[in-house]
């Protein structure tokens, strides 16, 4: 059970809730703080002051002041008008991440919502009621307005949700769970949607999956060193100390561990860069992931509403600012996109070398009787197609601002766009690495190379599950099997335990 607000909050916490491994509850202290903050908000409509989002319109309509009798209706209209999106539906894992992050942020008491608002998000998480949210609609400033509005619609008993993995109306799901729809009061609609939680939630999920992916990268790289009979001198600690980037040091350490007991059947003066520079390339990718993780972790622990209650010198004010802007996370996710695209580029070069008989010294396309058999030719073609797609998708979203809301919101982050295309890059990267592992598994047995002690435990799994290829067969099944293996609980645990 995770009690909120959790300070500090980690991506691992978010993943546990997103994957339904942990339930959530509101702390007693937070409930009292929420009630105190709410009492301040309730006085504003009668204070005579115009306060954004409480008794005014939104965005470019902030100069329109409304009478107290219209303020509750204003919140419902905000949600109705802002729940506009298109395209594929976001994965429930990402939507649950956003719901949890918004609940944790609101529970800190800076937004002035009632405890009932936070509790509704918690109940939906614990009952596994996940709103159906289109992936496109947020520009990543003024918060992830559109996708978060779809979540609020479900809280109100509108729209559609997944309830225990079945898609149905929100009203029906709430009734099945024994829950009543939430009723909004002043400021609460705005406080539920004016933040970066959707892009931050997506970022948390993707960063954690990328951290595992880069460990697989070191593993696949080690397999390819054996398959291509590469040298290990370039991975020596003495050499790494002369250029001590942390990521490079870690990748080299993994290679030295995985290649323990490795012996060369032939010797060359130098290997190609895709082998010789593995620590430098894989290490740089690790640095990109680490950068994104740092930014995402800060965002997870931030207050991103507007306006927010600030207390200074024993005086509490409701202050408008720009914490809802997603530029930092947009840049971080763009950096991670470039890093994962680089992963595919370097991986494909090793795949190419294994399949070219002039470079590998093995049978063409890793098949005996090449000609009658095409071998693994098309796997490299697939890798090339996926890498080309990743190159297109790694064009930064964070530099493509367009003004919205009559230029009141004249510079937006496009953070959710960065997250959406990064998800696809991540998916492609897993497939590209699976191709390298499949080719290396075949090359090692084809060449009769001794598997080093550090790699044996991994190699034996692939050897058992993926039969040696003696003639052409449906390689799609082999590729899908590799993907299944590397995502299995047993294999993930092994990688996490053995690789730094």
């Amino acid at each position: 059970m995770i009690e909120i607000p959790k300070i500090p909050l980690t991506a691992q916490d978010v993943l546990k809730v997103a994957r339904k491994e942990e339930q959530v509850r509101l702390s007693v202290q937070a409930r009292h703080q929420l009630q105190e903050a709410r009492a301040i908000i309730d006085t504003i409509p009668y204070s005579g002051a115009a306060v954004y989002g409480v008794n005014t319109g939104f965005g470019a309509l902030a100069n329109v002041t409304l009478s107290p009798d219209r303020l509750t209706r204003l919140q419902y209209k905000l949600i109705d008008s802002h729940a506009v999106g298109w395209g594929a539906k976001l994965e429930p894992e990402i939507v649950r991440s956003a719901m949890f992050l918004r609940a944790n942020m609101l529970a800190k008491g800076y937004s002035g919502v009632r405890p009932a608002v936070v509790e509704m998000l918690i109940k939906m998480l614990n009952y596994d009621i996940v709103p159906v949210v289109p992936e496109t609609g947020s520009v990543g400033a003024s918060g992830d307005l559109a996708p978060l509005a779809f979540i609020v619609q479900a809280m109100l008993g509108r729209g559609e949700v997944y309830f225990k993995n079945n898609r149905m109306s929100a009203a029906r799901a709430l009734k099945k769970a024994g829950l009543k729809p939430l009723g909004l009061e002043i400021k609460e609609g705005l406080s539920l949607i004016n933040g970066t939680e959707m892009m931050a939630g997506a970022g948390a999920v993707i960063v954690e999956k990328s951290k595992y992916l880069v460990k697989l990268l070191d593993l696949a790289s080690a397999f390819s060193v054996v398959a291509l009979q590469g040298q290990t001198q370039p991975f020596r600690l003495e050499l790494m100390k002369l250029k001590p980037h942390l990521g490079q040091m870690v990748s080299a350490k993994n290679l030295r561990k995985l290649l323990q007991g490795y012996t060369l059947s032939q010797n060359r003066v130098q290997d190609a860069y895709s082998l010789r520079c593995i620590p430098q390339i894989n290490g740089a990718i690790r640095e990109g992931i680490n950068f994104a993780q740092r930014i995402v972790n800060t965002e997870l622990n931030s207050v991103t509403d507007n306006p927010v209650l600030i207390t200074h010198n024993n005086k509490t004010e409701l202050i408008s600012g720009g914490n809802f802007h997603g530029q930092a996370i947009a840049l971080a996710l763009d950096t991670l996109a470039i890093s994962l695209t680089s992963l595919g580029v370097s991986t494909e070069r090793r795949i190419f070398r294994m399949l070219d008989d002039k470079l590998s010294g093995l049978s063409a396309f890793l098949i005996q009787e090449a000609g009658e058999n095409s071998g693994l030719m098309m796997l490299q073609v697939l890798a090339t197609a996926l890498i080309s797609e990743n190159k297109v998708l790694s064009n930064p979203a964070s530099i493509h601002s367009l003004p919205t809301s009559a230029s009141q919101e004249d510079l937006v982050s496009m953070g959710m766009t960065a997250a959406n295309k990064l998800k696809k890059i991540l998916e492609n990267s897993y497939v590209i690495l699976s191709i390298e592992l499949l080719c290396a598994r075949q090359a090692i047995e084809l060449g009769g190379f001794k598997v080093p002690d550090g790699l044996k435990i991994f190699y034996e799994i692939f050897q058992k599950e993926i039969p040696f290829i003696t003639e052409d067969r449906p390689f799609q099944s082999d590729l899908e099997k590799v993907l299944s293996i590397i995502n299995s609980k047993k294999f993930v645990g092994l990688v996490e335990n053995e690789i730094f």
Side-chain angles (χ1 to χ4, degrees), residues 51-73:
V51 179
Y52 177 74
V54 179
N55 56 4
T56 73
F58 306 105
L61 301 175
N63 61 336
V64 179
T65 304
L66 303 171
S67 59
D69 62 310
R70 301 169 68 186
L71 301 186
T72 299
R73 188 164 68 247

Side-chain angles (χ1 to χ4, degrees), residues 90-243:
L90 287 169
E91 297 89 338
E93 187 177 61
I94 289 176
V95 178
R96 284 180 61 89
S97 296
M99 294 168 70
F100 174 57
L101 287 174
R102 202 59 182 167
N104 192 71
M105 190 282 294
L106 293 173
K108 295 176 182 177
Y110 292 97
S111 295
V113 302
R114 293 168 297 137
V117 173
V118 181
E119 287 171 339
M120 187 64 180
L121 282 167
I122 290 172
K123 288 174 183 176
M124 289 175 68
L125 286 168
N126 291 344
Y127 280 101
D128 194 25
I129 300 173
V130 186
V132 175
V133 181
E135 68 176 8
T136 303
S138 170
V139 295
S142 283
D144 292 312
L145 296 172
L148 292 176
F150 279 96
I151 292 176
V152 184
Q153 272 197 331
M155 297 169 71
L156 303 178
R158 304 173 183 177
E160 289 189 307
V161 299
Y162 301 104
F163 179 51
K164 298 182 178 177
N165 299 323
N166 295 310
R167 187 167 172 171
M168 63 183 70
S169 70
R172 183 184 174 202
L174 293 178
K175 186 176 181 179
K176 278 178 168 285
L179 302 178
K180 293 182 179 179
L182 178 70
L184 294 175
E185 296 188 6
I186 59 172
K187 194 184 182 292
E188 290 179 339
L190 180 63
S191 289
L192 281 163
I193 68 173
N194 205 8
T196 61
E197 279 73 18
M198 192 61 76
M199 67 181 100
V205 170
I206 295 168
V207 164
E208 287 303 300
K209 290 181 178 179
S210 299
K211 286 164 63 180
Y212 174 63
L213 183 71
V214 79
K215 292 185 178 185
L216 285 177
L217 173 63
D218 285 346
L219 176 64
S221 299
F223 268 110
S224 291
V225 170
V226 178
L228 290 164
Q229 290 294 282
Q231 299 183 75
T232 57
Q233 288 283 88
F235 313 146
R236 288 180 57 171
L237 178 60
E238 297 87 346
L239 185 58
M240 296 303 102
K241 285 181 176 179
L242 300 179
K243 189 179 181 182

